[in-house]
Amino acid sequence: MNVLAVVAGLLRGLLQAPRHLGFAQRFLAQWNAHDVQGICASMRGGRYRDPLTQTHLQGDALQRHVQALFTAFPDLQLTLTGPIMTGRGAVSARYRLCGRHTGPLPGDMGIDTVTPTGRALSLEATLFIAFGPGGQVQVENHFDLYELAGQLDFLALLMPREQEHYQFGAYYRLHKGNTTPPEAIGITWLQVRGGKAPFDQAAQVTNAVLESFSGKPGFVTGIIGARPPDAYGNSSGFTLSAWESLEALEANLLPNPDHQRVVHQFMKEGLAYGTHSRVYQLVRAKPVMIACSACGKKNNAHKKVHSCSACGAALEPAPAYW
């Protein structure tokens, strides 16, 4: 062991400690002042990551992320819960992150924004700042993503991408109150290559089409599902729209300009690698059965006399499809 090198390292750490401590204090103050430009300038071209970024951010991407947080949580504050600890070329601190979700958050899978929930957020967090030899900074901001999701009533699922014959992804459902049983469905499946950018574009235009469907006569329910890009940049997804009748589907699907525009993007502009669409019509159906809340007897949810056939209690409204 080189004793002189160890002693020199300790002395260097002692000399750097006040400067690093001062940086951490200023950095936290900039966050509490919602000083987006100051935060980005303090990074000196370095990298930042927290559980929401999914990767390290720099430059414009970092600025957009920080601004999005302050927009979603206008009262966001970082309060130290212990001393700032200094080490060789690094500082760390424990703090509590607090704020109320009263502004929009960036969305995903074709949903542009997540509307405010009004819920309060209070998380224990840890900030780790490393200083490079050239003055650049790397910030690792850690907090519990699952606790954040729980406090905001969001979903946070940990699932494999594939498992034997299963493939996993996510879906969302669009329903505007039509409880009529559907008799026709249209399904479009697609594959997208090239990573996140084309995946996001495909998701946005697909969602726009589903939104355009939802305002048409005879629309019942729409479902969009997607598997985000894998390590090779490949992704896939589907759109399902359910309609009161085949006539309603054909009257509103085929002449729809939003739908025609997306078909052109997928087929002519190369947005999708592979596409396939089908329309299905009802062959047979059984009635929707619901349980009486008083006695548990199953009843037809759409029968004209909306009371239990066993005890006469009023039944709850028919559930929406699907």
Side-chain angles (χ1 to χ4, degrees), residues 12 61 96 103 117 147 170 176 178 192 231 242 246 279:
R12 186 163 54 250
R96 178 164 288 276
T117 63
E147 185 177 354
K176 294 189 174 180
N178 186 355
V192 177
L246 181 62
V279 171

Side-chain angles (χ1 to χ4, degrees), residues 20-102:
H20 292 167
L21 181 61
F23 176 94
Q25 291 171 333
R26 290 192 302 274
F27 192 65
L28 287 169
Q30 288 167 338
W31 276 89
N32 287 332
H34 293 196
D35 182 1
V36 178
Q37 298 298 328
I39 292 169
C40 294
S42 293
M43 293 297 298
R44 302 169 188 168
R47 305 191 304 167
Y48 170 93
R49 181 174 63 178
D50 67 37
L52 298 176
T53 66
Q54 300 181 10
T55 186
H56 287 99
L57 300 181
Q58 295 174 282
D60 292 342
L62 173 59
Q63 181 172 328
R64 289 193 297 270
H65 174 69
V66 175
Q67 184 59 66
L69 292 179
F70 293 152
T71 300
F73 301 92
D75 59 346
L76 188 71
Q77 290 290 291
L78 283 58
T79 304
L80 286 173
T81 56
I84 299 176
M85 308 297 291
T86 62
R88 185 174 178 180
V91 295
S92 64
R94 291 188 61 80
Y95 71 94
R96 178 164 288 276
L97 186 153
C98 296
R100 188 172 293 275
H101 182 207
T102 57

Side-chain angles (χ1 to χ4, degrees), residues 244-266:
E244 293 180 11
S245 64
L246 181 62
E247 291 74 21
L249 183 153
E250 291 180 337
N252 296 293
L253 181 67
L254 299 179
N256 186 314
D258 293 302
H259 181 251
Q260 292 175 349
R261 191 177 306 113
V262 170
V263 170
H264 189 272
Q265 287 178 293
F266 286 161

